[in-house]
Amino acid sequence: MPKRLLLTAASLALVGSLAACDDSSSGGTDSGSHTKPKIGVILPDSKSSARWETADRKYLSEAFKAAGVDFDIQNAQNDKQQFQTIADQMITSGVNVLVIVNLDSGTGKAVLDKAKAQGVATIDYDRLTLGGSAQYYVSFDNTEVGKLQGEGLSKCLSDMKAKKPIVATLNGSPTDNNATLLADGYNGVLDPKYKSGDYVKGPDQSVPDWDSAEASTIFEQMLTSKPDIGGVLAANDTLGNAAIAILRKQNRNGKVPVTGQDATVQALQNILAGDQCMTVYKAVKKEADATVKLAVSLAKSEKGETNATVEDPEGKRKVPSVLETPVAIYKDNVKDVVDDGYVTKEALCAGKYATLCSQVGIN
């Protein structure tokens, strides 16, 4: 072969090699690429709330399939080492975008920074990673969720004509920024009540990892120290159900209003039975759809659409965000959650709950 042709072939090989390197580090596929986007999602666990497996996985999968992209959804089952291992495997497998629900901000930050260093785009899903580097954040307005919980407990206490009730608080996990935002919301409603003397501030404690067994132990200790607790601000349905189980042992279920959030089947059944005051419904499908839309945009090196910015106080930055609107659910509007398709009538109205469903128009 002539030397000039040898040089040309070598040059073409070098250009091809450089192009391949550039594409693998871009974190997405540009408009000229035919590579199919691949998106990885790491869910936190299946214990803190049923929603991660029953709702988030379902709606994310449906949205990814509709978008025609490859995806991999895995659950870390509250194991920080496993969380990092899954992230490493996804990055190695060639995901363009990594979506995470962090177990804590330290672990989340390490994963996000590693992904960024490898040219993989990132999204914080549901929980903001403080000090992290996610390009987008998709969630609900968690301060508003907390506000709805505080207002819900106040409404139920008022309906029961409670006089100076002692209010116990089961906060969420201290490592979850959402728990901080929730507390900002419900304390903004309850603190003035304490100050005025309308309510008495009772035991107030965080529950590590949103764990139901921990919540049961903590609440039992609360009742021992303050037997006449008259209301429970529980930060989610898992914690709320733990408190209800303890109250049931003392035949006080239904006599002490309890809050929650996530609108799980169990919580809605507790509301129908009169054991839980209210929950907060977060339309996870909207959250999942918004996340998939952003992820596909990032995979194609396009700018995503947002409707808010959220302050990361540790990272000292404003994170472009999509925040959906939560809805308070009481006994008279449990039907709305079924009508929205979040839970099925068959699951909610099984057995003894059939009559209770019928009473609120779920037929």
Side-chain angles (χ1 to χ4, degrees), residues 12 27 40 45 84 97 99-100 105-106 148 179-180 182 192 208 217 225 241-242 259 276 284 286 330 334 336 356:
L12 286 171
D45 59 62
Q84 293 177 315
V97 183
V99 179
I100 72 165
S105 286
L148 291 176
T180 301
L182 292 169
T217 300
S225 65
N241 189 63
T259 67
Q276 185 165 329
V284 173
K286 292 182 180 179
Y330 301 87
V334 165
D336 293 349
L356 296 174

mmCIF file of all heavy atoms in Angstrom, residues 12 27 40 45 84 97 99-100 105-106 148 179-180 182 192 208 217 225 241-242 259 276 284 286 330 334 336 356:
data_model
loop_
_atom_site.group_PDB
_atom_site.id
_atom_site.type_symbol
_atom_site.label_atom_id
_atom_site.label_comp_id
_atom_site.label_asym_id
_atom_site.label_seq_id
_atom_site.Cartn_x
_atom_site.Cartn_y
_atom_site.Cartn_z
ATOM 1 N N LEU A 12 -7.835 8.057 9.669
ATOM 2 C CA LEU A 12 -9.257 7.733 9.830
ATOM 3 C C LEU A 12 -9.503 6.914 11.078
ATOM 4 O O LEU A 12 -10.477 7.109 11.805
ATOM 5 C CB LEU A 12 -9.751 6.956 8.595
ATOM 6 C CG LEU A 12 -9.937 7.778 7.310
ATOM 7 C CD1 LEU A 12 -10.211 6.853 6.139
ATOM 8 C CD2 LEU A 12 -11.050 8.800 7.475
ATOM 9 N N GLY A 27 -22.384 11.772 28.134
ATOM 10 C CA GLY A 27 -23.514 11.663 29.047
ATOM 11 C C GLY A 27 -24.836 11.656 28.333
ATOM 12 O O GLY A 27 -25.887 11.843 28.912
ATOM 13 N N GLY A 40 -30.588 4.686 33.986
ATOM 14 C CA GLY A 40 -30.581 3.886 35.197
ATOM 15 C C GLY A 40 -31.294 4.592 36.338
ATOM 16 O O GLY A 40 -31.186 5.809 36.481
ATOM 17 N N ASP A 45 -35.415 1.634 48.874
ATOM 18 C CA ASP A 45 -35.760 0.462 49.686
ATOM 19 C C ASP A 45 -37.194 0.074 49.384
ATOM 20 O O ASP A 45 -37.843 0.688 48.536
ATOM 21 C CB ASP A 45 -35.600 0.760 51.186
ATOM 22 C CG ASP A 45 -36.479 1.918 51.638
ATOM 23 O OD1 ASP A 45 -37.712 1.796 51.537
ATOM 24 O OD2 ASP A 45 -35.949 2.954 52.091
ATOM 25 N N GLN A 84 -24.064 2.026 46.136
ATOM 26 C CA GLN A 84 -22.881 2.417 45.369
ATOM 27 C C GLN A 84 -22.514 1.366 44.329
ATOM 28 O O GLN A 84 -22.108 1.706 43.212
ATOM 29 C CB GLN A 84 -21.713 2.661 46.324
ATOM 30 C CG GLN A 84 -21.935 3.880 47.226
ATOM 31 C CD GLN A 84 -20.812 4.087 48.228
ATOM 32 O OE1 GLN A 84 -20.363 3.147 48.871
ATOM 33 N NE2 GLN A 84 -20.359 5.321 48.365
ATOM 34 N N VAL A 97 -27.937 8.478 31.583
ATOM 35 C CA VAL A 97 -28.491 9.273 32.683
ATOM 36 C C VAL A 97 -28.686 8.358 33.889
ATOM 37 O O VAL A 97 -29.147 7.226 33.743
ATOM 38 C CB VAL A 97 -29.852 9.905 32.298
ATOM 39 C CG1 VAL A 97 -30.373 10.789 33.430
ATOM 40 C CG2 VAL A 97 -29.740 10.703 31.002
ATOM 41 N N VAL A 99 -30.596 8.247 37.592
ATOM 42 C CA VAL A 99 -31.624 8.840 38.455
ATOM 43 C C VAL A 99 -31.535 8.144 39.806
ATOM 44 O O VAL A 99 -31.584 6.919 39.876
ATOM 45 C CB VAL A 99 -33.036 8.637 37.847
ATOM 46 C CG1 VAL A 99 -34.103 9.235 38.765
ATOM 47 C CG2 VAL A 99 -33.113 9.239 36.447
ATOM 48 N N ILE A 100 -31.406 8.925 40.891
ATOM 49 C CA ILE A 100 -31.276 8.295 42.209
ATOM 50 C C ILE A 100 -32.266 8.851 43.224
ATOM 51 O O ILE A 100 -32.650 10.011 43.162
ATOM 52 C CB ILE A 100 -29.844 8.429 42.783
ATOM 53 C CG1 ILE A 100 -29.555 9.886 43.224
ATOM 54 C CG2 ILE A 100 -28.794 7.954 41.796
ATOM 55 C CD1 ILE A 100 -28.317 10.026 44.112
ATOM 56 N N SER A 105 -27.466 11.992 52.100
ATOM 57 C CA SER A 105 -26.804 12.911 51.179
ATOM 58 C C SER A 105 -25.341 12.547 50.934
ATOM 59 O O SER A 105 -24.821 12.767 49.840
ATOM 60 C CB SER A 105 -26.910 14.355 51.698
ATOM 61 O OG SER A 105 -28.226 14.837 51.503
ATOM 62 N N GLY A 106 -24.647 11.972 51.941
ATOM 63 C CA GLY A 106 -23.243 11.606 51.765
ATOM 64 C C GLY A 106 -23.072 10.545 50.694
ATOM 65 O O GLY A 106 -22.262 10.696 49.765
ATOM 66 N N LEU A 148 -49.900 20.542 54.866
ATOM 67 C CA LEU A 148 -51.175 19.817 54.780
ATOM 68 C C LEU A 148 -51.344 18.862 55.951
ATOM 69 O O LEU A 148 -52.445 18.688 56.478
ATOM 70 C CB LEU A 148 -51.253 19.050 53.457
ATOM 71 C CG LEU A 148 -51.375 19.884 52.177
ATOM 72 C CD1 LEU A 148 -51.343 18.977 50.950
ATOM 73 C CD2 LEU A 148 -52.650 20.727 52.187
ATOM 74 N N ALA A 179 -37.556 14.991 55.140
ATOM 75 C CA ALA A 179 -38.070 15.025 56.513
ATOM 76 C C ALA A 179 -37.913 16.425 57.108
ATOM 77 O O ALA A 179 -38.782 16.895 57.850
ATOM 78 C CB ALA A 179 -37.342 13.992 57.374
ATOM 79 N N THR A 180 -36.817 17.092 56.771
ATOM 80 C CA THR A 180 -36.595 18.459 57.249
ATOM 81 C C THR A 180 -37.629 19.407 56.664
ATOM 82 O O THR A 180 -38.196 20.259 57.370
ATOM 83 C CB THR A 180 -35.180 18.929 56.852
ATOM 84 O OG1 THR A 180 -34.213 18.047 57.431
ATOM 85 C CG2 THR A 180 -34.916 20.344 57.342
ATOM 86 N N LEU A 182 -40.613 18.595 55.457
ATOM 87 C CA LEU A 182 -41.918 18.266 56.027
ATOM 88 C C LEU A 182 -42.093 18.937 57.385
ATOM 89 O O LEU A 182 -43.138 19.527 57.679
ATOM 90 C CB LEU A 182 -42.059 16.752 56.195
ATOM 91 C CG LEU A 182 -42.134 15.893 54.932
ATOM 92 C CD1 LEU A 182 -42.007 14.415 55.295
ATOM 93 C CD2 LEU A 182 -43.436 16.147 54.184
ATOM 94 N N PRO A 192 -47.569 27.815 66.306
ATOM 95 C CA PRO A 192 -48.453 28.862 66.838
ATOM 96 C C PRO A 192 -49.507 28.306 67.800
ATOM 97 O O PRO A 192 -49.919 28.992 68.753
ATOM 98 C CB PRO A 192 -49.112 29.447 65.576
ATOM 99 C CG PRO A 192 -48.141 29.168 64.484
ATOM 100 C CD PRO A 192 -47.564 27.830 64.826
ATOM 101 N N PRO A 208 -35.180 6.830 62.619
ATOM 102 C CA PRO A 208 -34.111 6.468 61.687
ATOM 103 C C PRO A 208 -34.621 5.634 60.515
ATOM 104 O O PRO A 208 -35.366 4.672 60.710
ATOM 105 C CB PRO A 208 -33.133 5.667 62.556
ATOM 106 C CG PRO A 208 -33.390 6.150 63.953
ATOM 107 C CD PRO A 208 -34.862 6.434 64.003
ATOM 108 N N THR A 217 -41.362 1.230 68.589
ATOM 109 C CA THR A 217 -40.636 1.334 69.870
ATOM 110 C C THR A 217 -40.661 2.756 70.394
ATOM 111 O O THR A 217 -40.935 2.999 71.580
ATOM 112 C CB THR A 217 -39.181 0.871 69.701
ATOM 113 O OG1 THR A 217 -39.171 -0.491 69.255
ATOM 114 C CG2 THR A 217 -38.417 0.979 71.002
ATOM 115 N N SER A 225 -44.309 7.796 78.581
ATOM 116 C CA SER A 225 -43.950 9.065 79.233
ATOM 117 C C SER A 225 -45.130 10.038 79.273
ATOM 118 O O SER A 225 -45.257 10.832 80.199
ATOM 119 C CB SER A 225 -42.774 9.724 78.521
ATOM 120 O OG SER A 225 -43.121 10.096 77.199
ATOM 121 N N ASN A 241 -48.961 4.174 60.696
ATOM 122 C CA ASN A 241 -49.512 2.842 60.971
ATOM 123 C C ASN A 241 -48.853 2.210 62.196
ATOM 124 O O ASN A 241 -49.507 1.492 62.960
ATOM 125 C CB ASN A 241 -49.332 1.926 59.760
ATOM 126 C CG ASN A 241 -50.078 0.623 59.906
ATOM 127 O OD1 ASN A 241 -51.303 0.595 59.990
ATOM 128 N ND2 ASN A 241 -49.337 -0.473 59.981
ATOM 129 N N ALA A 242 -47.561 2.493 62.391
ATOM 130 C CA ALA A 242 -46.872 1.985 63.584
ATOM 131 C C ALA A 242 -47.514 2.557 64.848
ATOM 132 O O ALA A 242 -47.736 1.835 65.833
ATOM 133 C CB ALA A 242 -45.388 2.349 63.526
ATOM 134 N N THR A 259 -51.732 11.365 61.498
ATOM 135 C CA THR A 259 -51.549 11.790 60.103
ATOM 136 C C THR A 259 -50.650 10.816 59.349
ATOM 137 O O THR A 259 -50.197 9.815 59.891
ATOM 138 C CB THR A 259 -50.920 13.192 60.028
ATOM 139 O OG1 THR A 259 -49.572 13.121 60.538
ATOM 140 C CG2 THR A 259 -51.712 14.207 60.833
ATOM 141 N N GLN A 276 -57.112 6.480 61.169
ATOM 142 C CA GLN A 276 -56.153 7.495 60.713
ATOM 143 C C GLN A 276 -56.924 8.724 60.279
ATOM 144 O O GLN A 276 -57.949 8.625 59.591
ATOM 145 C CB GLN A 276 -55.300 6.950 59.559
ATOM 146 C CG GLN A 276 -54.198 7.910 59.099
ATOM 147 C CD GLN A 276 -53.150 7.216 58.222
ATOM 148 O OE1 GLN A 276 -52.878 6.039 58.383
ATOM 149 N NE2 GLN A 276 -52.544 7.950 57.298
ATOM 150 N N VAL A 284 -47.728 10.033 42.130
ATOM 151 C CA VAL A 284 -46.397 9.557 41.734
ATOM 152 C C VAL A 284 -46.269 9.454 40.216
ATOM 153 O O VAL A 284 -45.181 9.646 39.663
ATOM 154 C CB VAL A 284 -46.085 8.208 42.407
ATOM 155 C CG1 VAL A 284 -44.783 7.612 41.888
ATOM 156 C CG2 VAL A 284 -46.017 8.381 43.920
ATOM 157 N N LYS A 286 -47.261 11.510 37.998
ATOM 158 C CA LYS A 286 -46.805 12.809 37.489
ATOM 159 C C LYS A 286 -45.315 12.995 37.763
ATOM 160 O O LYS A 286 -44.575 13.510 36.916
ATOM 161 C CB LYS A 286 -47.609 13.942 38.141
ATOM 162 C CG LYS A 286 -49.071 13.989 37.742
ATOM 163 C CD LYS A 286 -49.768 15.162 38.401
ATOM 164 C CE LYS A 286 -51.242 15.223 37.995
ATOM 165 N NZ LYS A 286 -51.955 16.354 38.653
ATOM 166 N N TYR A 330 -58.866 12.877 53.121
ATOM 167 C CA TYR A 330 -59.633 12.514 54.304
ATOM 168 C C TYR A 330 -60.624 11.420 53.887
ATOM 169 O O TYR A 330 -60.659 11.015 52.724
ATOM 170 C CB TYR A 330 -60.389 13.724 54.860
ATOM 171 C CG TYR A 330 -59.491 14.874 55.251
ATOM 172 C CD1 TYR A 330 -59.112 15.835 54.307
ATOM 173 C CD2 TYR A 330 -59.023 15.008 56.550
ATOM 174 C CE1 TYR A 330 -58.282 16.892 54.663
ATOM 175 C CE2 TYR A 330 -58.191 16.068 56.912
ATOM 176 C CZ TYR A 330 -57.823 17.005 55.964
ATOM 177 O OH TYR A 330 -56.998 18.029 56.304
ATOM 178 N N VAL A 334 -61.316 9.827 49.823
ATOM 179 C CA VAL A 334 -60.488 8.646 49.521
ATOM 180 C C VAL A 334 -60.761 8.174 48.090
ATOM 181 O O VAL A 334 -59.855 7.721 47.379
ATOM 182 C CB VAL A 334 -60.775 7.504 50.531
ATOM 183 C CG1 VAL A 334 -60.209 6.182 50.024
ATOM 184 C CG2 VAL A 334 -60.182 7.836 51.893
ATOM 185 N N ASP A 336 -61.054 9.758 45.469
ATOM 186 C CA ASP A 336 -60.252 10.463 44.468
ATOM 187 C C ASP A 336 -58.966 9.703 44.134
ATOM 188 O O ASP A 336 -58.501 9.732 42.997
ATOM 189 C CB ASP A 336 -59.896 11.872 44.966
ATOM 190 C CG ASP A 336 -61.101 12.789 45.077
ATOM 191 O OD1 ASP A 336 -62.180 12.405 44.564
ATOM 192 O OD2 ASP A 336 -60.966 13.880 45.664
ATOM 193 N N LEU A 356 -67.147 -0.322 53.952
ATOM 194 C CA LEU A 356 -66.624 1.012 54.213
ATOM 195 C C LEU A 356 -66.386 1.769 52.898
ATOM 196 O O LEU A 356 -66.640 2.966 52.810
ATOM 197 C CB LEU A 356 -65.333 0.937 55.013
ATOM 198 C CG LEU A 356 -65.460 0.341 56.417
ATOM 199 C CD1 LEU A 356 -64.085 0.175 57.059
ATOM 200 C CD2 LEU A 356 -66.337 1.245 57.292
#
